[in-house]
Every structure is written in C-alpha cells, then in structure tokens.
C-alpha cells in the first residue's frame, strides 16, 4: 500500500501491514494539518550554572498538542516529519517562536539565552544562514541570546561548507552547541576546526554513570577535552544530586535535567524564575 493511497484514508490497515506502518500513516496524515492548525507548542527547559545552580539559559523543545492523542513528544513524530520533509517547517517555526520569546523575556528584564535545536535537513538548506538572520532581524533580539544546537552528523558530508555557515552566524554573535556529544561519529581532530562554543554531553553517559564506571570516565574525558579546546560543557539528563556532584567535581559548566525542571510552557518557566528556582 503506497503512501499516496493512504493519504486521506484510515481504512487501509490490513493483515499485511504492521501496526508500526499503520501508526506512521496515521501520524503522517495528522502531521500535514498540524502546522496549519497551530498544534505545535514550544516548551522550555531550564539550564543552570553547575557551581551556583543559578539559571543560565533554557532549551526550546517542540511538542505536538494533538487534538485526540494529547501532548506528543518529539521522538514520536520528528523522524516521520523528517521523512516527509516537514522538519524544516517545524524548525523554522520553533526558531521564530523561540526568538519572539527571547524578545519578550529580554524586554521583561530576563536576559535568558535560549537554545534551539536545528535538524540536519534545516542546517543543510542553502538558505539556512539567511533564515536565521531574517528571524533575528524580524524579532529584534540580541543574537547573543540565541544558541543553536546542532549534531555531529551535519559535518559528515561537507565539513568546509558547515564551518562556513557556522562562522557566518557566529560573526553576528549567535552561539553554537554540539548536541548529544559522544553518540556520533565526529573525530576529535575534526572538532578543533569546528567553531562551536559548547559541548552537550549526551544524557546516556550521565544516566548510567555511578561516578566510578566507564561512563564516568567518558564524561571526565569529554570535559577535560572541552577545556583544552576552550569550549564550555553542558551535561543533560541530570536527575539526581549524586549525578550533579560528579559533573561538578569534573568542572562541567552547565547542567540541564529533571533535577532542576522538566520542559514546561513559557509561562510556567516564568513562574519558576520568579520564585527563584
Ligand atoms: P535533545 O536536544 O538532546 O533534548 C534533550 C532531551 O532530553 C529532551 O527530550 C528533554 O526533555 C530530555 N531530558 C532533559 N532532561 C532530562 C532528564 O533529566 N531525564 C530524562 N529522562 N530526559 C531529560 P525531548 O523534549 O523529548 O526531545 C527529544 C529530542 O527531540 C531532542 O533531544 C531533540 O533532538 C529533538 N527535538 C526537540 N525539539 C526539537 C526541535 O524544535 N527541532 C528539532 N530539529 N529537534 C528537536
Ligand atoms: Mg538539544
Ligand atoms: Mg541532547
Ligand atoms: Mg538527546
């Protein structure tokens, strides 16, 4: 059964089609109207300074407020959106929404830096740099309040082209973080030619680490390497005081995780900041 046939048709499920494929078709159909129906939402998750626990920024994370299924997390729809080519529209919208939020917070006296995830497809568009510049102009933000999170795989095909894009935006003051670091394929020698500001250590290393095992050694090595390269380090997935103690000991700069806050709507984040969390 082709995608074409399934487009407006929920009855195509038969024995030969796996439940997974059927689910995917349903999601695809719904995703097509989600943007138009304004069903996407941006949530924000706090990042704190590891030494002081003072808020240092937030990460913008997309959610899909589905009319029947409720709040759908990105892992359940972004890969499908990517196959459909819709990911670039979602990334465009999240970027603009996050920058409008930066402006609002800044006007209210909260100079929070906001990190926005950029998919590989979005980064590889030839108009990527112009899109970011345009959003910065339209929203009137200070570019230093914007940090873009990219992953190692953006540089697999053409590292020179990737570096050029990074440099064009860095000139404006936009910062870059390498997300999920440690899970990809980038060689360490490549990293030194890559003009980024921050390494985000993937949560899998922190989660499994009890402070003495191999994962803890990896975390330690990544932090040491980042220091050598003059990069700041953010650890994501910090859920316990014990994990916080380990990364503090190793000199990690910023932390993000359920210990501080889950991703929440902008208004909830504002309430947290007001209460001095
Ligand atoms: P990510 O960029 O690595 O974001 C961190 C993920 O870890 C988020 O999941 C966050 O909710 C989760 N997390 C943070 N702290 C903890 C913790 O202490 N424990 C646990 N168990 N999880 C924690 P989320 O929001 O479900 O997003 C998943 C992924 O979807 C993101 O991973 C990112 O790769 C992608 N994503 C989210 N929003 C966007 C977007 O607007 N554009 C693009 N291209 N990708 C996005
Ligand atoms: Mg991220
Ligand atoms: Mg990450
Ligand atoms: Mg991740």
């Amino acid at each position: 059964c082709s995608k074409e046939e399934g487009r407006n048709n929920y009855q195509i499920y038969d024995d030969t089609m796996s439940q997974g494929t059927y689910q995917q078709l349903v999601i695809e159909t719904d995703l097509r109207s989600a943007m138009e129906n304004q069903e996407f939402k941006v949530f924000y998750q706090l990042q704190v300074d590891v030494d002081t626990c003072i808020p240092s920024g937030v990460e913008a994370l997309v959610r899909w407020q589905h009319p029947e299924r409720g709040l759908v997390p990105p892992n359940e729809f972004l890969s499908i959106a990517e196959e459909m080519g819709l990911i670039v529209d979602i990334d465009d919208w999240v970027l603009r929404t996050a920058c409008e939020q930066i402006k609002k917070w800044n006007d209210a006296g909260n100079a929070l830096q906001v990190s926005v995830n950029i998919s590989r497809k979005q980064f590889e568009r030839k108009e990527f740099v112009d899109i970011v510049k345009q959003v910065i102009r339209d929203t009137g933000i200070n570019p230093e309040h914007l940090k873009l999170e990219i992953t190692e795989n953006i540089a697999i095909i053409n590292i020179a082209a990737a570096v050029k894009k990074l440099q064009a935006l860095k000139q404006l003051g936009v910062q870059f973080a390498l997300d999920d670091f440690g899970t990809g394929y980038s060689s360490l020698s490549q990293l030194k030619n890559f003009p980024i500001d921050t390494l985000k250590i993937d949560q899998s290393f922190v989660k499994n680490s009890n402070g003495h095992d191999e994962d803890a050694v990896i975390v330690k090595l990544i932090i040491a390497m980042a220091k050598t390269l003059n990069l700041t380090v953010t650890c994501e997935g910090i859920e316990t005081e014990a994990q916080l103690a380990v990364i503090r000991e190793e000199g990690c700069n910023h932390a993000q995780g359920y210990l501080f806050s889950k991703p929440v709507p902008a208004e909830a984040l504002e309430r947290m900041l007001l209460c001095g969390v």
Side-chain angles (χ1 to χ4, degrees):
C1 183
S2 75
K3 280 182 183 170
E4 216 40 58
E5 281 169 307
R7 195 157 277 172
N8 302 307
N9 186 351
Y10 282 76
Q11 289 116 285
I12 39 141
Y13 180 51
D14 62 34
D15 301 343
T16 61
M17 191 183 278
S18 72
Q19 189 67 40
T21 315
Y22 175 67
Q23 268 303 327
Q24 169 145 356
L25 276 175
V26 173
I27 294 174
E28 264 189 52
T29 310
D30 288 353
L31 268 177
R32 287 208 169 81
S33 53
M35 185 68 77
E36 213 176 309
N37 297 344
Q38 302 183 315
E39 288 167 9
F40 295 115
K41 301 275 173 281
V42 180
F43 276 31
Y44 298 88
Q45 187 179 28
L46 205 60
Q47 297 170 332
V48 304
D49 183 294
V50 165
D51 292 324
T52 61
C53 286
I54 291 172
S56 55
V58 295
E59 178 174 9
L61 295 156
V62 71
R63 266 92 184 100
W64 180 14
Q65 185 70 59
H66 190 282
E68 285 121 37
R69 297 174 35 173
L71 207 59
V72 185
N75 291 339
E76 287 178 32
F77 67 90
L78 281 188
S79 57
I80 300 174
E82 193 166 335
E83 283 173 39
M84 295 166 66
L86 192 72
I87 186 85
V88 296
D89 296 328
I90 295 176
D91 280 0
D92 272 350
W93 180 82
V94 171
L95 176 68
R96 187 167 286 273
T97 306
C99 287
E100 285 165 355
Q101 192 61 64
I102 291 174
K103 179 74 175 139
K104 277 184 214 157
W105 280 334
N106 200 52
D107 288 350
N110 283 318
L112 278 180
Q113 189 178 52
V114 178
S115 293
V116 177
N117 292 281
I118 300 292
S119 67
R120 179 179 176 176
K121 276 213 166 122
Q122 175 77 332
F123 187 84
E124 284 176 351
R125 290 167 79 183
K126 61 176 185 319
E127 56 284 46
F128 171 68
V129 169
D130 290 332
I131 289 169
V132 177
K133 284 182 177 173
Q134 186 66 46
V135 171
I136 290 171
R137 261 197 304 272
D138 290 349
T139 54
I141 63 160
N142 176 349
E144 285 167 18
H145 292 157
L146 179 64
K147 196 173 210 169
L148 300 179
E149 295 196 358
I150 53 179
T151 54
E152 297 160 75
N153 64 14
I154 60 147
I156 286 176
I157 295 179
N158 188 342
I159 184 158
V163 168
K164 238 174 120 180
K165 288 182 181 181
L166 296 178
Q167 276 165 346
L169 290 170
K170 277 184 66 67
Q171 264 172 14
L172 297 179
V174 175
Q175 293 199 349
F176 284 90
L178 206 51
D179 205 356
D180 305 334
F181 187 75
T183 61
Y185 301 100
S186 66
S187 76
L188 297 183
S189 60
Q190 251 178 336
L191 199 59
K192 78 173 194 301
N193 301 318
F194 222 55
I196 51 161
D197 305 278
T198 300
L199 282 187
K200 282 191 93 171
I201 300 183
D202 192 68
Q203 53 179 281
S204 57
F205 298 114
V206 182
K207 186 152 294 165
N208 309 326
S209 150
N210 60 23
H212 308 287
D213 56 8
E214 284 116 349
D215 280 331
V217 173
I218 291 174
V219 170
K220 200 172 169 165
L221 286 175
I222 295 176
I223 294 173
M225 181 193 64
K227 297 246 136 113
T228 313
L229 295 172
N230 272 322
L231 306 174
T232 64
V233 182
T234 303
C235 268
E236 53 182 25
I238 300 298
E239 294 183 356
T240 66
E241 291 286 354
Q243 291 167 339
L244 178 63
V246 171
I247 63 163
R248 183 181 282 145
E249 173 85 27
E250 301 306 337
C252 174
N253 306 94
H254 300 110
Q256 180 181 340
Y258 295 173
L259 179 62
F260 312 103
S261 166
K262 291 196 168 179
V264 293
E267 312 78 62
L269 188 96
E270 284 160 23
R271 282 195 295 275
M272 270 187 329
L273 290 176
L274 278 176
C275 298
V277 176

